[in-house]
Amino acid sequence: MRPDHIGALISIGDPRVAPGGDRIVYTEQQIEADQNRYVTAVWLTDLAGSRRSLASDNVDASMARWSPDGTRIAFVQHERTDDAPTTIELHDIAAGTSVTVCTPREAPAELEWAPDGTRLAFVARDPDPAYYPAPGETRKAKDTPARNITHFFSREDGEDFTFDRPTRVFVVAAAEGAEPVVISDGVGTNAMAWSPDSASIAFCAARHDNWDLDLATDVWVVSADGGPPRQLTETRHSYTRLAWSPDGSQIATVWDPSPFDGPRHGRVAVLDASSGARRTLTEALDRNCAVFPAVRSPVWDGTEHLLFTYEDEGRVTLARVAVGATEQAGDITPIVDGDRCVTGFDQCDGTLAVVIATPSSLPELHVRTTATGPELRCLTDATARFRAATGSEPALSMRFTARSSDGAEVECWAFQPEGDGPFPTLLNIHGGPFTQYGYKFFDEFQLQVGAGFAVVCCNPRGSSGYSEAWGRAVRWPECASDPGTGWGGIDYDDVLACVDTAMATFDWIDGDRLGTLGGSYGGYLTSWIIGHTQRFKAACSERSVNNLVTEEHNSDIATVFRDYVGVSIVDDPAPYVRASPVTYVREMHTPLLILHSEQDLRCPINQAEELFVALRLLGRTPEFWRFPGESHELSRSGAPKHRVQRTEIILDFFGRHLQQR
């Protein structure tokens, strides 16, 4: 794979099965490289794979949702021009025509039908007109009033200011030209779910005064006609991803028991819809059910089972859990498992639709029915189209385990380029740290292998996908509960053990030509590594945290690092200083590439600037590239031209420093 092949990537997702189980809608995102943009279409397919697009070629469409009677599909649409409004459309299946329901001020993040088919609910931001001009109006910044900030988290990466654009739940009639009505709001409003009688909507939000201090999020229930919402849960935990049971008695959810004592596994539970009493169904699983990136809310399979996804040693597994009527509550049966990742799913009337990615294939839509048996059939051809467009065959991963300094086994993977080794080798470190590498196609690895580098990676302590204790092992020693080594402790040992074991296992890895790179937390650990060892010949630290002191003041999630550290920056800055890579800048002699986005709010660009300035003051020569207009998500969803340029910069840098023996 070459950098220009990024433009051939295809992403399939968000499947929804029609009532009756005979058809499926899903989205397909492609890249128009010449226009430097992503384009997304909604496709309707039958179970044989015969498909058609629901929208015209000049629009982006997403979030397709079936009406309860299966005759119409609601979806969100946006014309491919910068100033075009976003609309909610209704598509008549038989007639093949669409009408516009309404034009929200901002694009909806969620869209769902009322079970009686008369209305739609959606979640969207509602800009305060004091700060945001009406459509078609222009206003200079100097004519906008000052913003009064009263809480943390007033901005969000990729969104800029959010406190003056709160998310709200809207309800609108399922008819052309209808007027949406706000029925509720709250900080972080999300995960709405209709009651089966269409009378109420459940949603998650923080509505208490100190939400930014405790990070608790509650479940609320509000009449679909509006009015004061009823709080269903006590304000102690964090809830998301709701699904109301078909009989109306329970609401499924994914919850975090201690939002400021993380990382914790997301757990699948059910709430009594009247009392809010909670029963957790996955306590014995000891795996994270709040999968990242998010797949979807649990899906009811009748009234006695739920379908949900969880992370498991690099995999994302789809499973069924018993709610507890005819079977023991908490009994879990894998439905789609193995060395692959489920990235989307839905089930209706005996048809299961699943989007599956593997290390050698892009996400593809699969289906199985009760009539055809347990085998999954692939309905899409994204991988074949990608291979035809690029002429490239993906390198396959080779799993191995490394034994770390304390004897723990660390799960690792290696990728071998074509040709004769030994090859210069790149250690990749994932972000998070509470995320995972695993069994799905990852363009970063394929691009590096395509350029002639061997690749090694692992899921060190701090990663998700394993026991909760594994994820919590990198909490700071100052933590009152489950103290660990802190970042740069056992995780550092784990990634170095991965490299050592790879060198001992594969004779095609050149231990004299090692490089390391990572983004976000992976950038942090990269910066940390070069301040503590000289064994790597080059390093790339991207969108990194280099100074935890300033990160805890400037990030869009500033103040949450005390979750890992155990003390606040005000009470005791010493642990933040001790664990900051920039503290060890005098020990950094490895050639370093620094990449950062200028609009990154998660790890603001001052994190890159501080490391660059410190190294230059010492007479070192770091290479620093800034990407205008990009957020923390540059490598995943940045402008296609920037993604290509970024890859070219990385490969050129390591080529110059590692290719010569």
Side-chain angles (χ1 to χ4, degrees):
M1 186 175 176
R2 302 192 312 265
D4 60 305
H5 292 162
I6 289 173
L9 291 170
I10 301 168
S11 182
I12 286 171
D14 198 21
R16 290 295 188 273
V17 180
D22 60 337
R23 292 163 295 175
I24 303 167
V25 288
Y26 63 95
T27 59
E28 179 177 297
Q29 183 191 76
Q30 298 188 59
I31 294 174
E32 290 185 349
D34 56 339
Q35 298 294 319
N36 197 26
R37 67 186 181 188
Y38 301 89
V39 296
T40 306
V42 168
W43 290 90
L44 169 64
T45 181
D46 61 22
L47 301 188
S50 177
R51 68 176 196 164
R52 65 179 176 89
S53 177
L54 293 189
S56 60
D57 291 339
N58 65 334
V59 302
D60 287 318
S62 61
M63 252 177 284
R65 302 292 182 259
W66 290 96
S67 63
D69 63 3
T71 63
R72 295 180 292 173
I73 298 173
F75 61 91
V76 174
Q77 178 175 290
H78 181 88
E79 291 187 11
R80 291 174 189 158
T81 57
D82 290 340
D83 57 351
T86 297
T87 61
I88 295 176
E89 302 289 312
L90 275 186
H91 182 83
D92 186 286
I93 300 295
T97 57
S98 299
V99 297
T100 299
V101 176
C102 63
T103 305
R105 286 285 302 278
E106 293 202 23
E110 300 176 37
L111 177 67
E112 298 295 343
W113 282 88
D116 64 7
T118 62
R119 291 179 287 183
L120 295 160
F122 63 93
V123 172
R125 294 196 177 279
D126 189 16
D128 186 335
Y131 302 103
Y132 300 93
E137 177 190 350
T138 59
R139 185 188 305 166
K140 296 180 179 179
K142 67 180 183 179
D143 297 323
T144 300
R147 290 178 166 91
N148 179 26
I149 308 298
T150 60
H151 289 72
F152 303 138
F153 318 121
S154 60
R155 303 175 77 188
E156 184 177 328
D157 185 68
E159 291 277 357
D160 205 351
F161 284 104
T162 55
F163 81 101
D164 51 9
R165 298 162 50 231
T167 47
R168 305 187 193 277
V169 179
F170 295 81
V171 170
V172 62
E176 184 176 9
E179 186 67 29
V181 176
V182 174
I183 63 166
S184 199
D185 61 6
V187 176
T189 298
N190 72 91
M192 62 168 186
W194 283 92
S195 62
D197 62 3
S198 301
S200 302
I201 294 175
F203 65 96
C204 296
R207 299 172 60 87
H208 56 292
D209 289 341
N210 291 328
W211 58 267
D212 62 331
L213 296 176
D214 58 28
L215 298 187
T217 302
D218 285 302
V219 178
W220 303 78
V221 177
V222 64
S223 167
D225 297 322
R230 172 173 62 93
Q231 185 172 345
L232 191 61
T233 54
E234 58 179 330
T235 306
R236 293 179 53 196
H237 313 295
S238 179
Y239 293 88
T240 187
R241 306 181 194 182
L242 305 181
W244 214 307
S245 66
D247 63 5
S249 66
Q250 300 178 93
I251 300 173
T253 185
V254 177
W255 74 292
D256 180 340
S258 49
F260 242 131
D261 185 38
R264 290 286 191 187
H265 284 164
R267 293 149 163 84
V268 175
V270 288
L271 304 172
D272 184 279
S274 298
S275 69
R278 183 187 64 247
R279 291 188 297 119
T280 300
L281 304 177
T282 60
E283 198 68 45
L285 180 62
D286 200 16
R287 290 293 185 269
N288 179 39
C289 303
V291 174
F292 177 83
V295 177
R296 64 169 302 181
S297 297
V299 171
W300 285 90
D301 183 11
T303 59
E304 298 179 6
H305 296 88
L306 286 166
L307 300 184
F308 72 102
T309 51
Y310 65 90
E311 298 173 329
D312 186 28
E313 299 181 356
R315 308 166 185 87
V316 176
T317 296
L318 176 64
R320 176 186 291 114
V321 61
V323 176
T326 60
E327 296 181 48
Q328 180 69 35
D331 282 354
I332 294 172
T333 304
I335 302 300
V336 179
D337 56 2
D339 293 345
R340 48 191 173 176
C341 290
V342 172
T343 60
F345 72 94
D346 192 38
Q347 178 170 279
C348 187
D349 291 336
T351 296
L352 174 68
V354 191
V355 178
I356 298 172
T358 74
S360 60
S361 67
L362 300 176
E364 301 277 17
L365 177 64
H366 295 71
V367 65
R368 76 181 182 204
T369 69
T370 53
T372 58
E375 293 300 316
L376 288 164
R377 293 182 294 110
C378 185
L379 298 183
T380 53
D381 60 352
T383 305
R385 283 184 283 154
F386 174 77
R387 290 178 178 175
T390 63
S392 65
E393 290 292 327
L396 300 181
S397 63
M398 289 169 268
R399 179 187 176 277
F400 64 100
T401 59
R403 194 164 296 280
S404 192
S405 57
D406 63 349
E409 284 196 349
V410 181
E411 193 157 28
C412 311
W413 294 268
F415 297 78
Q416 180 181 3
E418 293 182 350
D420 297 324
F423 303 100
T425 300
L426 299 179
L427 167 67
N428 283 254
I429 305 171
H430 68 61
F434 197 59
T435 55
Q436 64 169 1
Y437 280 143
Y439 296 97
K440 64 180 178 181
F441 185 93
F442 189 34
D443 60 315
E444 302 272 335
F445 296 165
Q446 299 298 331
L447 288 161
Q448 293 165 23
V449 171
F453 297 99
V455 170
V456 294
C457 65
C458 65
N459 286 330
R461 247 68 68 91
S463 301
S464 60
Y466 302 84
S467 69
E468 194 171 77
W470 187 270
R472 290 170 68 80
V474 293
R475 287 163 58 81
W476 263 245
E478 286 79 3
C479 289
S481 63
D482 296 334
T485 66
W487 294 2
I490 196 64
D491 48 344
Y492 171 79
D493 292 350
D494 288 354
V495 298
L496 293 188
C498 170
V499 173
D500 291 338
T501 305
M503 291 168 53
T505 305
F506 306 109
D507 59 8
W508 40 265
I509 286 179
D510 189 339
D512 293 326
R513 292 187 292 165
L514 296 175
T516 183
L517 71 163
S520 195
Y521 161 80
Y524 165 92
L525 198 52
T526 297
S527 296
W528 180 270
I529 284 171
I530 64 172
H532 290 79
T533 180
Q534 305 301 316
R535 67 180 302 181
F536 294 92
K537 304 302 182 185
C540 172
S541 179
E542 183 176 11
R543 61 181 186 275
S544 174
V545 177
N546 291 307
N547 187 339
L548 282 159
V549 175
T550 52
E551 174 75 2
E552 188 68 332
H553 287 101
N554 297 336
S555 171
D556 65 340
I557 56 170
T559 73
V560 304
F561 288 90
R562 60 191 168 100
D563 187 16
Y564 272 98
V565 178
V567 293
S568 77
I569 192 73
V570 175
D571 292 333
D572 186 3
Y576 295 82
V577 175
R578 184 184 72 233
S580 293
V582 75
T583 300
Y584 308 94
V585 69
R586 291 185 179 276
E587 308 304 318
M588 296 182 184
H589 298 280
T590 304
L592 179 63
L593 173 64
I594 301 172
L595 301 180
H596 222 99
S597 297
E598 293 187 343
Q599 302 304 313
D600 190 337
L601 299 182
R602 186 60 39 86
C603 299
I605 197 167
N606 69 284
Q607 292 294 315
E609 293 167 335
E610 291 182 39
L611 184 58
F612 175 79
V613 168
L615 286 167
R616 284 297 295 141
L617 286 173
L618 293 170
R620 317 271 163 80
T621 56
E623 300 182 29
F624 181 18
W625 292 80
R626 305 166 62 110
F627 286 84
E630 298 292 356
S631 73
H632 197 64
E633 299 301 304
L634 165 63
S635 65
R636 295 177 280 255
S637 59
K641 288 183 179 179
H642 278 163
R643 288 180 63 186
V644 172
Q645 184 185 21
R646 166 191 169 273
T647 302
E648 291 172 339
I649 291 169
I650 292 172
L651 297 180
D652 172 73
F653 173 80
F654 283 114
R656 285 186 279 116
H657 289 281
L658 300 184
Q659 290 290 14
Q660 297 300 319
R661 297 193 68 179

